[in-house]
Amino acid sequence: MNTKKNRQQEPEKETKKTEWLSEYEAGPYSVSEAGALYFNKQVDGAIVSTLIADHAPILQEIIQRDDGTNTVQECIFKTFRNGKFGSPTRVDTKTMFGNQPNILFAAGNAIEPGRGNKERYSHYMQLQCKDKTPQTQYQHTGWIQVDGERVFLNGGYSIDQAGLTAQYTVELDPGMERYCFYEVPESERDGLNVLLQELPKAMPESVYVPLLGYCFLTPLNGILRSVGREPCFSLYLIGKTGTYKSSICKLFSCFFGKFSYADPAPVSFEDTENAVGRRLSVGADIPLLLDDRRPTTSPTDKWKYERMEKYVSCAIGDRVSRSRLNADSSAKKSYISKCNLIVTAEEAFQNVGSSSIARSITIELEPGTIYFKGLQALQEKPQYFNKVMQLYIQYVIKNWDTLRQNSGDNLKQLEAEFTTAGHPRIATALSQLLFGYAMYLKFMQEYQCIDENHARELL
């Protein structure tokens, strides 16, 4: 039943300042001290208030979620009832429109029956959104440009030309929350020296050089993408169990986050293709880890692993997305892979074509390849990896235009050195990997850790 209050007939209530909460008024709607929502209209010179609901949905903030492919606005509301606020509820903007809004607040919050009440309830919510500025929440890593300034997004802190910044809100998908930049109190020199002096004590050049090259190549994806040279290959580590392939990859993932040897990888062979496809996109400009392709005697598991291997090979190797349709036959927005990918496996490719194999570079590990004590010492210093990458991304930002201008010619020169590598894709991949390592050495020269002659020796 609709209830009406005539404010002229009850003047004593109008004089009570707390009866109507002015801060929650919007258009023809007002909220009582107890939290009830009323619709006000003028009838014969008097204001008549009709009860709409026993609570009021109060807007807290509008969030614009940007995953690098889609941008969606969500409104955060809290119900105000009996003088208390309920828990926050996310409301998609499209659910607020129409005379049947699809909004699910906590049980016990009731809209009064009556013609037009639901439509007015929705209208009250929309009016609150009218002048509210949305807050952008990024759901991806990697490069953005804001007001002409380049920023590298990551969980925790992001990085601009001045260093770490908390100006940008980044909320990554579950499973990717370990990707972050964070404050490291140790000196810059300590971190740089760890890479130069302690990496060779943990593994041979044949392992750490391609891994360094791949990790330092990945933040350049944005530059190389703009000149048509984006890396289109995965880096494989293949070895029997106990060769520390996963431990090594998680250590190098510390360039972009916080990982221990026991942490699960952000992508696994047990995930669905759709889930993996999204992560390959939102993990932009960082190296993701697809961990643990293991031997199996199960035909079902074997088929699943091979299918995933082919899928990621295509996603990274061709930088294309899977086209899909909505129910009305319109095209869905598709996720294009923007990361680079490191894969660990116990066995080499099986039932995968030569074209897929050419989309990868493989590091083979044997028992004893990794020096365990050296690896263990590095695992106790993951913050140094993070610190070095923070400095490197600042270096890339400061030299962006120069790097963009010279990268094409530099890659052509390197590619000429691998003309006898077999498949043309292999020559391209090796030249890009070497380019990443050369950039690492150039960066080390910038910080005067090595001189030009030493860099040539290492290259």
Side-chain angles (χ1 to χ4, degrees), residues 259-339:
F259 291 85
S260 72
Y261 72 93
D263 287 331
V267 190
S268 84
F269 282 91
E270 301 298 329
D271 294 336
T272 66
E273 289 182 11
N274 284 341
V276 171
R278 174 177 165 81
R279 291 192 179 180
L280 296 181
S281 177
V282 299
D285 306 314
I286 63 175
L288 291 188
L289 173 59
L290 173 59
D291 196 28
D292 201 17
R293 185 197 192 281
R294 54 189 180 275
T296 178
T297 57
S298 166
T300 302
D301 287 345
K302 191 172 185 298
W303 174 83
K304 180 170 64 176
Y305 297 160
E306 289 172 358
R307 181 183 173 92
M308 178 63 73
E309 207 160 37
K310 292 174 184 177
Y311 171 71
V312 297
S313 172
C314 233
I316 298 294
D318 297 330
R319 301 290 181 183
V320 295
S321 60
R322 298 179 64 183
S323 299
R324 293 179 296 165
L325 298 179
N326 295 306
D328 61 357
S329 297
S330 61
K332 286 185 176 180
K333 288 189 176 180
S334 302
Y335 290 105
I336 296 175
S337 300
K338 299 173 186 175
C339 70

Coordinates of all heavy atoms in Angstrom, one line a residue, residues 259-339:
F259 N 57.2 -13.7 -5.7 CA 57.0 -15.1 -5.9 C 58.0 -15.9 -5.1 O 59.2 -15.6 -5.1 CB 57.1 -15.5 -7.4 CG 56.1 -14.9 -8.3 CD1 56.2 -13.6 -8.8 CD2 55.0 -15.7 -8.7 CE1 55.2 -13.1 -9.7 CE2 54.0 -15.2 -9.5 CZ 54.1 -13.9 -10.0
S260 N 57.5 -16.9 -4.5 CA 58.4 -17.9 -3.8 C 58.3 -19.2 -4.6 O 57.4 -19.3 -5.5 CB 58.0 -18.1 -2.4 OG 56.8 -18.9 -2.3
Y261 N 59.2 -20.1 -4.4 CA 59.2 -21.3 -5.2 C 58.0 -22.1 -5.0 O 57.6 -22.9 -5.9 CB 60.5 -22.2 -4.8 CG 60.4 -22.8 -3.5 CD1 59.9 -24.1 -3.3 CD2 60.7 -22.1 -2.3 CE1 59.8 -24.7 -2.1 CE2 60.7 -22.7 -1.1 CZ 60.2 -24.0 -1.0 OH 60.1 -24.6 0.3
A262 N 57.2 -22.0 -3.9 CA 56.0 -22.8 -3.6 C 54.8 -22.1 -4.1 O 53.7 -22.8 -4.1 CB 55.9 -23.0 -2.1
D263 N 54.8 -20.9 -4.6 CA 53.6 -20.2 -5.1 C 53.1 -20.8 -6.4 O 53.9 -21.2 -7.3 CB 53.9 -18.7 -5.3 CG 54.0 -18.0 -4.0 OD1 53.4 -18.4 -3.0 OD2 54.8 -17.0 -3.9
P264 N 51.8 -20.9 -6.6 CA 51.3 -21.4 -7.8 C 51.5 -20.4 -9.0 O 51.6 -19.2 -8.7 CB 49.8 -21.6 -7.6 CG 49.5 -20.7 -6.4 CD 50.7 -20.6 -5.6
A265 N 51.7 -21.0 -10.1 CA 51.9 -20.1 -11.3 C 50.6 -19.4 -11.7 O 49.5 -20.0 -11.4 CB 52.5 -20.9 -12.5
P266 N 50.7 -18.3 -12.3 CA 49.5 -17.6 -12.7 C 48.6 -18.3 -13.7 O 47.4 -18.0 -13.9 CB 50.0 -16.2 -13.2 CG 51.4 -16.4 -13.5 CD 51.9 -17.5 -12.6
V267 N 49.3 -19.1 -14.5 CA 48.6 -19.9 -15.6 C 49.0 -21.3 -15.5 O 50.2 -21.6 -15.2 CB 48.9 -19.3 -17.0 CG1 48.0 -20.0 -18.0 CG2 48.8 -17.8 -17.0
S268 N 48.1 -22.3 -15.6 CA 48.5 -23.7 -15.6 C 47.8 -24.4 -16.7 O 46.8 -23.9 -17.3 CB 48.1 -24.3 -14.2 OG 46.7 -24.7 -14.2
F269 N 48.2 -25.6 -17.0 CA 47.6 -26.5 -18.0 C 46.3 -27.0 -17.6 O 45.6 -27.6 -18.4 CB 48.6 -27.6 -18.4 CG 49.7 -27.2 -19.2 CD1 50.9 -26.8 -18.7 CD2 49.6 -27.2 -20.6 CE1 52.0 -26.4 -19.5 CE2 50.7 -26.9 -21.4 CZ 51.8 -26.5 -20.9
E270 N 45.9 -26.8 -16.4 CA 44.6 -27.2 -15.9 C 43.5 -26.2 -16.1 O 42.3 -26.4 -16.0 CB 44.6 -27.6 -14.4 CG 45.6 -28.7 -14.1 CD 45.2 -30.0 -14.8 OE1 44.0 -30.3 -15.0 OE2 46.2 -30.8 -15.1
D271 N 43.9 -24.9 -16.5 CA 43.0 -23.8 -16.7 C 42.2 -24.0 -18.0 O 42.7 -24.7 -18.9 CB 43.7 -22.5 -16.7 CG 44.3 -22.1 -15.4 OD1 43.8 -22.6 -14.4 OD2 45.3 -21.4 -15.4
T272 N 41.1 -23.3 -18.1 CA 40.3 -23.4 -19.4 C 41.0 -22.4 -20.4 O 41.7 -21.5 -20.0 CB 38.9 -22.9 -19.2 OG1 38.8 -21.6 -18.8 CG2 38.2 -23.8 -18.2
E273 N 40.7 -22.6 -21.7 CA 41.3 -21.7 -22.7 C 40.8 -20.3 -22.5 O 41.6 -19.4 -22.7 CB 41.0 -22.3 -24.1 CG 41.8 -23.6 -24.4 CD 41.5 -24.1 -25.8 OE1 40.9 -23.3 -26.6 OE2 41.9 -25.2 -26.1
N274 N 39.6 -20.1 -22.2 CA 39.0 -18.8 -22.1 C 39.7 -18.0 -20.9 O 40.0 -16.9 -21.0 CB 37.5 -18.8 -21.8 CG 36.7 -19.1 -23.1 OD1 37.3 -19.0 -24.2 ND2 35.5 -19.5 -22.9
A275 N 39.9 -18.7 -19.8 CA 40.6 -18.1 -18.7 C 42.1 -17.8 -19.0 O 42.5 -16.7 -18.7 CB 40.6 -19.0 -17.4
V276 N 42.7 -18.7 -19.7 CA 44.1 -18.4 -20.1 C 44.2 -17.2 -21.1 O 45.0 -16.3 -21.0 CB 44.8 -19.7 -20.7 CG1 46.1 -19.3 -21.3 CG2 44.9 -20.7 -19.6
G277 N 43.2 -17.2 -22.0 CA 43.2 -16.1 -23.0 C 43.1 -14.8 -22.4 O 43.7 -13.8 -22.8
R278 N 42.2 -14.7 -21.4 CA 42.1 -13.4 -20.7 C 43.4 -13.0 -20.0 O 43.8 -11.8 -20.0 CB 40.9 -13.5 -19.7 CG 40.8 -12.2 -18.8 CD 39.6 -12.2 -17.9 NE 39.7 -11.2 -16.9 CZ 39.4 -9.9 -17.0 NH1 39.0 -9.5 -18.2 NH2 39.6 -9.0 -16.1
R279 N 44.0 -13.9 -19.3 CA 45.2 -13.6 -18.6 C 46.4 -13.2 -19.5 O 47.2 -12.4 -19.2 CB 45.6 -14.8 -17.7 CG 44.6 -14.9 -16.5 CD 45.1 -15.9 -15.5 NE 44.1 -16.0 -14.4 CZ 44.2 -16.7 -13.3 NH1 45.3 -17.4 -13.1 NH2 43.3 -16.7 -12.4
L280 N 46.4 -13.8 -20.7 CA 47.4 -13.5 -21.6 C 47.2 -12.0 -22.1 O 48.2 -11.4 -22.6 CB 47.4 -14.4 -22.8 CG 47.8 -15.9 -22.6 CD1 47.8 -16.7 -23.9 CD2 49.1 -16.0 -21.9
S281 N 46.0 -11.6 -22.0 CA 45.7 -10.2 -22.4 C 45.9 -9.2 -21.3 O 46.6 -8.2 -21.5 CB 44.3 -10.1 -23.0 OG 44.0 -8.8 -23.3
V282 N 45.4 -9.5 -20.1 CA 45.4 -8.5 -19.0 C 46.9 -8.5 -18.4 O 47.2 -7.5 -17.8 CB 44.4 -8.8 -17.9 CG1 43.0 -8.7 -18.5 CG2 44.6 -10.1 -17.3
G283 N 47.6 -9.5 -18.6 CA 49.0 -9.5 -18.2 C 49.9 -8.8 -19.2 O 51.0 -9.3 -19.5
A284 N 49.5 -7.7 -19.6 CA 50.2 -7.0 -20.7 C 51.7 -6.6 -20.3 O 51.9 -6.1 -19.2 CB 49.4 -5.7 -21.2
D285 N 52.6 -6.8 -21.2 CA 54.0 -6.3 -21.1 C 54.7 -6.9 -19.9 O 55.7 -6.3 -19.4 CB 54.0 -4.8 -21.1 CG 53.3 -4.1 -22.2 OD1 53.5 -4.6 -23.4 OD2 52.5 -3.2 -22.0
I286 N 54.3 -8.0 -19.4 CA 55.0 -8.8 -18.4 C 55.1 -10.2 -18.9 O 54.3 -10.7 -19.7 CB 54.4 -8.7 -17.0 CG1 53.0 -9.4 -17.0 CG2 54.3 -7.3 -16.5 CD1 52.3 -9.5 -15.7
P287 N 56.1 -11.0 -18.4 CA 56.2 -12.4 -18.8 C 55.4 -13.3 -17.8 O 55.7 -13.3 -16.6 CB 57.7 -12.7 -18.6 CG 58.2 -11.7 -17.6 CD 57.3 -10.5 -17.6
L288 N 54.3 -13.9 -18.3 CA 53.5 -14.8 -17.6 C 54.2 -16.2 -17.6 O 54.9 -16.6 -18.5 CB 52.1 -14.9 -18.1 CG 51.2 -13.7 -17.9 CD1 49.8 -14.0 -18.3 CD2 51.2 -13.1 -16.5
L289 N 53.9 -17.0 -16.6 CA 54.4 -18.3 -16.4 C 53.3 -19.3 -16.6 O 52.3 -19.3 -15.8 CB 55.1 -18.5 -15.1 CG 55.6 -19.9 -14.7 CD1 56.6 -20.4 -15.8 CD2 56.2 -19.9 -13.3
L290 N 53.4 -20.2 -17.6 CA 52.5 -21.4 -17.7 C 53.3 -22.6 -17.3 O 54.3 -23.0 -18.0 CB 52.1 -21.5 -19.2 CG 51.3 -22.7 -19.6 CD1 50.0 -22.8 -18.8 CD2 51.0 -22.7 -21.1
D291 N 52.9 -23.1 -16.1 CA 53.8 -24.0 -15.5 C 53.4 -25.5 -15.6 O 52.2 -25.8 -15.5 CB 53.9 -23.6 -14.0 CG 55.1 -24.3 -13.2 OD1 56.1 -24.6 -13.9 OD2 55.0 -24.5 -12.0
D292 N 54.4 -26.4 -15.7 CA 54.3 -27.8 -15.4 C 53.4 -28.6 -16.4 O 52.4 -29.1 -16.1 CB 53.7 -28.0 -14.0 CG 54.0 -29.4 -13.5 OD1 54.9 -30.0 -14.0 OD2 53.3 -29.8 -12.5
R293 N 54.0 -28.7 -17.6 CA 53.4 -29.6 -18.6 C 54.1 -30.9 -18.3 O 55.3 -31.1 -18.6 CB 53.6 -29.2 -20.0 CG 53.0 -30.1 -21.0 CD 53.5 -29.9 -22.4 NE 52.8 -30.6 -23.5 CZ 52.8 -31.9 -23.8 NH1 53.6 -32.7 -23.0 NH2 52.1 -32.4 -24.7
R294 N 53.4 -31.9 -17.7 CA 54.0 -33.1 -17.2 C 53.6 -34.3 -18.1 O 52.5 -34.3 -18.6 CB 53.7 -33.4 -15.8 CG 52.2 -33.4 -15.4 CD 52.0 -33.4 -13.9 NE 50.6 -33.4 -13.6 CZ 49.9 -32.3 -13.4 NH1 50.4 -31.1 -13.6 NH2 48.6 -32.4 -13.1
P295 N 54.4 -35.4 -18.1 CA 54.0 -36.6 -18.8 C 52.8 -37.2 -18.2 O 52.5 -37.1 -17.0 CB 55.2 -37.5 -18.7 CG 56.3 -36.6 -18.3 CD 55.7 -35.5 -17.5
T296 N 52.0 -37.8 -19.0 CA 50.8 -38.5 -18.5 C 50.4 -39.7 -19.4 O 50.7 -39.7 -20.6 CB 49.6 -37.5 -18.5 OG1 48.4 -38.2 -18.0 CG2 49.3 -36.9 -19.9
T297 N 49.9 -40.7 -18.7 CA 49.4 -41.9 -19.5 C 47.9 -41.8 -19.8 O 47.4 -42.6 -20.5 CB 49.7 -43.1 -18.7 OG1 49.0 -43.0 -17.4 CG2 51.2 -43.4 -18.5
S298 N 47.3 -40.7 -19.3 CA 45.8 -40.5 -19.6 C 45.6 -39.9 -20.9 O 46.1 -38.8 -21.2 CB 45.2 -39.7 -18.5 OG 43.9 -39.2 -18.9
P299 N 44.9 -40.5 -21.8 CA 44.6 -39.9 -23.1 C 43.9 -38.6 -23.0 O 44.1 -37.7 -23.8 CB 43.7 -41.0 -23.8 CG 44.0 -42.3 -23.1 CD 44.3 -41.9 -21.7
T300 N 43.0 -38.5 -22.0 CA 42.2 -37.2 -21.8 C 43.2 -36.1 -21.4 O 43.1 -35.0 -22.0 CB 41.2 -37.4 -20.8 OG1 40.3 -38.5 -21.2 CG2 40.4 -36.1 -20.6
D301 N 44.1 -36.4 -20.5 CA 45.0 -35.3 -20.0 C 46.0 -35.0 -21.1 O 46.3 -33.8 -21.3 CB 45.8 -35.8 -18.8 CG 44.9 -35.8 -17.5 OD1 43.8 -35.2 -17.6 OD2 45.3 -36.4 -16.5
K302 N 46.4 -36.0 -21.9 CA 47.4 -35.8 -23.0 C 46.7 -34.8 -24.0 O 47.4 -33.9 -24.5 CB 47.8 -37.1 -23.6 CG 48.9 -37.0 -24.5 CD 49.3 -38.5 -24.9 CE 50.6 -38.5 -25.8 NZ 50.4 -37.7 -27.1
W303 N 45.5 -35.1 -24.3 CA 44.8 -34.3 -25.3 C 44.6 -32.9 -24.8 O 44.8 -31.9 -25.5 CB 43.4 -34.9 -25.6 CG 42.6 -34.1 -26.5 CD1 42.6 -34.0 -27.9 CD2 41.6 -33.2 -26.1 NE1 41.6 -33.1 -28.3 CE2 41.0 -32.6 -27.3 CE3 41.0 -32.8 -24.9 CZ2 40.0 -31.7 -27.2 CZ3 40.0 -31.8 -24.8 CH2 39.5 -31.3 -26.0
K304 N 44.3 -32.8 -23.5 CA 44.1 -31.4 -22.9 C 45.4 -30.6 -22.9 O 45.4 -29.4 -23.3 CB 43.6 -31.6 -21.5 CG 43.3 -30.3 -20.8 CD 42.6 -30.5 -19.4 CE 43.4 -31.3 -18.5 NZ 42.8 -31.5 -17.2
Y305 N 46.5 -31.2 -22.6 CA 47.8 -30.5 -22.5 C 48.2 -30.1 -23.9 O 48.7 -29.0 -24.2 CB 48.9 -31.4 -21.9 CG 48.6 -31.7 -20.5 CD1 49.3 -32.8 -19.9 CD2 47.7 -31.0 -19.7 CE1 49.0 -33.2 -18.5 CE2 47.5 -31.3 -18.3 CZ 48.2 -32.4 -17.8 OH 47.9 -32.7 -16.5
E306 N 48.0 -31.0 -24.9 CA 48.4 -30.7 -26.3 C 47.5 -29.6 -26.8 O 48.0 -28.7 -27.5 CB 48.3 -31.9 -27.2 CG 49.4 -32.9 -26.9 CD 49.2 -34.2 -27.6 OE1 48.2 -34.4 -28.3 OE2 50.1 -35.1 -27.5
R307 N 46.3 -29.6 -26.5 CA 45.3 -28.6 -27.0 C 45.7 -27.2 -26.4 O 45.8 -26.2 -27.1 CB 43.9 -28.9 -26.6 CG 42.9 -27.9 -27.0 CD 41.5 -28.3 -26.5 NE 40.5 -27.3 -26.8 CZ 39.8 -27.3 -27.9 NH1 39.9 -28.2 -28.8 NH2 38.9 -26.3 -28.0
M308 N 46.1 -27.2 -25.1 CA 46.5 -25.9 -24.5 C 47.8 -25.4 -25.1 O 48.0 -24.2 -25.3 CB 46.7 -26.1 -23.0 CG 47.1 -24.9 -22.2 SD 46.0 -23.5 -22.3 CE 44.7 -24.1 -21.2
E309 N 48.7 -26.3 -25.3 CA 50.0 -25.9 -25.9 C 49.8 -25.3 -27.3 O 50.4 -24.3 -27.6 CB 50.9 -27.2 -26.0 CG 52.4 -26.9 -26.0 CD 53.2 -28.1 -25.6 OE1 52.8 -29.2 -26.0 OE2 54.2 -27.9 -24.9
K310 N 48.9 -25.9 -28.1 CA 48.7 -25.3 -29.4 C 48.0 -24.0 -29.3 O 48.2 -23.1 -30.0 CB 47.8 -26.3 -30.2 CG 48.5 -27.6 -30.6 CD 47.5 -28.6 -31.3 CE 48.2 -29.9 -31.6 NZ 47.3 -30.9 -32.2
Y311 N 47.1 -23.9 -28.3 CA 46.3 -22.6 -28.1 C 47.3 -21.5 -27.8 O 47.2 -20.4 -28.4 CB 45.2 -22.8 -27.1 CG 44.6 -21.5 -26.7 CD1 43.7 -20.9 -27.6 CD2 44.8 -20.9 -25.4 CE1 43.1 -19.7 -27.2 CE2 44.2 -19.7 -25.1 CZ 43.4 -19.1 -26.0 OH 42.8 -17.9 -25.6
V312 N 48.1 -21.7 -26.8 CA 49.0 -20.6 -26.4 C 50.0 -20.3 -27.4 O 50.5 -19.1 -27.6 CB 49.7 -20.8 -25.0 CG1 48.6 -21.0 -23.9 CG2 50.5 -22.1 -25.0
S313 N 50.4 -21.3 -28.2 CA 51.4 -21.1 -29.2 C 50.8 -20.2 -30.3 O 51.5 -19.2 -30.8 CB 51.8 -22.4 -29.9 OG 52.6 -22.2 -31.0
C314 N 49.5 -20.4 -30.6 CA 48.8 -19.5 -31.6 C 48.6 -18.1 -31.0 O 48.8 -17.1 -31.7 CB 47.5 -20.1 -31.9 SG 47.2 -20.3 -33.6
A315 N 48.2 -18.1 -29.7 CA 47.9 -16.8 -29.1 C 49.1 -15.9 -29.0 O 49.0 -14.7 -29.3 CB 47.3 -17.0 -27.7
I316 N 50.2 -16.4 -28.7 CA 51.5 -15.6 -28.6 C 52.1 -15.5 -29.9 O 52.6 -14.4 -30.3 CB 52.5 -16.3 -27.6 CG1 51.9 -16.3 -26.2 CG2 53.8 -15.5 -27.6 CD1 51.7 -15.0 -25.5
G317 N 52.1 -16.6 -30.7 CA 52.8 -16.6 -32.0 C 52.2 -15.7 -33.0 O 52.9 -15.2 -33.9
D318 N 50.8 -15.6 -33.0 CA 50.1 -14.8 -34.0 C 49.5 -13.5 -33.5 O 49.1 -12.7 -34.3 CB 49.0 -15.7 -34.7 CG 49.6 -16.9 -35.4 OD1 50.7 -16.8 -35.9 OD2 48.9 -17.9 -35.4
R319 N 49.5 -13.4 -32.1 CA 48.9 -12.2 -31.5 C 47.5 -12.0 -32.1 O 47.1 -10.9 -32.4 CB 49.7 -11.0 -31.7 CG 51.1 -11.1 -31.1 CD 51.1 -11.1 -29.6 NE 52.5 -11.2 -29.1 CZ 52.8 -11.3 -27.8 NH1 51.8 -11.3 -26.9 NH2 54.1 -11.3 -27.4
V320 N 46.7 -13.1 -32.1 CA 45.3 -13.0 -32.6 C 44.4 -13.5 -31.5 O 44.8 -14.2 -30.6 CB 45.0 -13.7 -33.9 CG1 45.8 -13.1 -35.0 CG2 45.4 -15.2 -33.7
S321 N 43.1 -13.1 -31.6 CA 42.2 -13.6 -30.6 C 41.2 -14.6 -31.1 O 41.1 -14.7 -32.4 CB 41.4 -12.3 -30.0 OG 40.7 -11.7 -31.1
R322 N 40.5 -15.2 -30.3 CA 39.4 -16.1 -30.7 C 38.1 -15.3 -30.8 O 37.6 -14.7 -29.9 CB 39.1 -17.2 -29.6 CG 40.3 -18.1 -29.4 CD 40.0 -19.1 -28.3 NE 38.9 -20.0 -28.7 CZ 38.4 -21.0 -27.9 NH1 38.9 -21.2 -26.7 NH2 37.5 -21.8 -28.4
S323 N 37.6 -15.2 -32.1 CA 36.4 -14.5 -32.3 C 35.2 -15.2 -31.8 O 35.0 -16.4 -32.0 CB 36.2 -14.2 -33.8 OG 37.3 -13.4 -34.3
R324 N 34.3 -14.5 -31.0 CA 33.1 -15.2 -30.5 C 31.9 -14.2 -30.7 O 32.1 -13.0 -30.8 CB 33.3 -15.5 -29.0 CG 34.4 -16.6 -28.7 CD 34.5 -16.8 -27.2 NE 35.0 -15.6 -26.6 CZ 35.0 -15.4 -25.3 NH1 34.4 -16.4 -24.5 NH2 35.5 -14.3 -24.7
L325 N 30.7 -14.8 -30.6 CA 29.5 -14.1 -30.9 C 28.6 -14.0 -29.6 O 28.6 -15.0 -28.8 CB 28.7 -14.7 -32.0 CG 29.4 -14.7 -33.4 CD1 28.4 -15.3 -34.4 CD2 29.7 -13.3 -33.8
N326 N 27.9 -12.9 -29.5 CA 26.8 -12.9 -28.4 C 25.6 -13.6 -28.9 O 25.6 -14.1 -30.1 CB 26.5 -11.4 -28.2 CG 27.6 -10.6 -27.6 OD1 28.2 -11.0 -26.6 ND2 28.0 -9.5 -28.2
A327 N 24.6 -13.7 -28.0 CA 23.4 -14.5 -28.4 C 22.7 -13.8 -29.5 O 22.0 -14.5 -30.3 CB 22.5 -14.5 -27.1
D328 N 22.8 -12.5 -29.7 CA 22.2 -11.9 -30.8 C 23.0 -11.8 -32.1 O 22.7 -11.0 -33.0 CB 21.8 -10.4 -30.4 CG 23.0 -9.6 -30.0 OD1 24.1 -10.1 -30.1 OD2 22.8 -8.4 -29.7
S329 N 24.1 -12.6 -32.1 CA 25.0 -12.7 -33.3 C 25.9 -11.5 -33.5 O 26.6 -11.4 -34.5 CB 24.2 -12.9 -34.6 OG 23.5 -14.2 -34.5
S330 N 25.9 -10.6 -32.5 CA 26.9 -9.5 -32.6 C 28.2 -10.0 -32.1 O 28.3 -11.0 -31.3 CB 26.4 -8.3 -31.8 OG 26.2 -8.7 -30.4
A331 N 29.3 -9.4 -32.5 CA 30.6 -9.9 -32.1 C 31.0 -9.4 -30.7 O 30.8 -8.3 -30.3 CB 31.7 -9.3 -33.1
K332 N 31.5 -10.4 -30.0 CA 32.0 -10.0 -28.6 C 33.4 -9.4 -28.8 O 34.1 -9.7 -29.8 CB 32.2 -11.3 -27.8 CG 30.9 -11.8 -27.2 CD 31.1 -13.0 -26.3 CE 29.8 -13.5 -25.7 NZ 30.1 -14.6 -24.7
K333 N 33.8 -8.5 -27.8 CA 35.2 -8.1 -27.8 C 36.1 -9.2 -27.4 O 35.8 -9.9 -26.5 CB 35.3 -6.9 -26.9 CG 34.6 -5.6 -27.4 CD 34.9 -4.4 -26.5 CE 34.3 -3.1 -27.1 NZ 34.6 -1.9 -26.3
S334 N 37.1 -9.4 -28.2 CA 38.0 -10.5 -27.9 C 39.3 -10.1 -27.3 O 39.8 -8.9 -27.5 CB 38.3 -11.2 -29.3 OG 37.1 -11.7 -29.9
Y335 N 39.9 -11.0 -26.6 CA 41.2 -10.7 -25.9 C 42.4 -11.1 -26.7 O 42.5 -12.2 -27.2 CB 41.2 -11.4 -24.5 CG 40.3 -10.9 -23.5 CD1 39.1 -11.6 -23.2 CD2 40.5 -9.7 -22.9 CE1 38.2 -11.1 -22.2 CE2 39.7 -9.2 -21.9 CZ 38.5 -9.9 -21.6 OH 37.6 -9.4 -20.7
I336 N 43.2 -10.1 -27.0 CA 44.5 -10.4 -27.8 C 45.6 -10.5 -26.8 O 45.7 -9.6 -25.9 CB 44.7 -9.3 -28.8 CG1 43.6 -9.3 -29.8 CG2 46.0 -9.4 -29.5 CD1 43.6 -8.1 -30.8
S337 N 46.5 -11.4 -26.9 CA 47.6 -11.6 -26.0 C 48.6 -10.5 -26.1 O 49.0 -10.1 -27.2 CB 48.3 -12.9 -26.4 OG 47.5 -14.0 -26.2
K338 N 48.9 -9.9 -25.0 CA 49.8 -8.8 -24.9 C 51.0 -9.0 -24.0 O 51.9 -8.2 -23.8 CB 49.1 -7.5 -24.4 CG 47.9 -7.1 -25.3 CD 47.1 -6.0 -24.6 CE 45.9 -5.7 -25.5 NZ 45.0 -4.7 -24.8
C339 N 51.1 -10.2 -23.4 CA 52.2 -10.6 -22.6 C 53.2 -11.4 -23.4 O 53.0 -11.7 -24.6 CB 51.7 -11.4 -21.4 SG 51.2 -13.1 -21.9

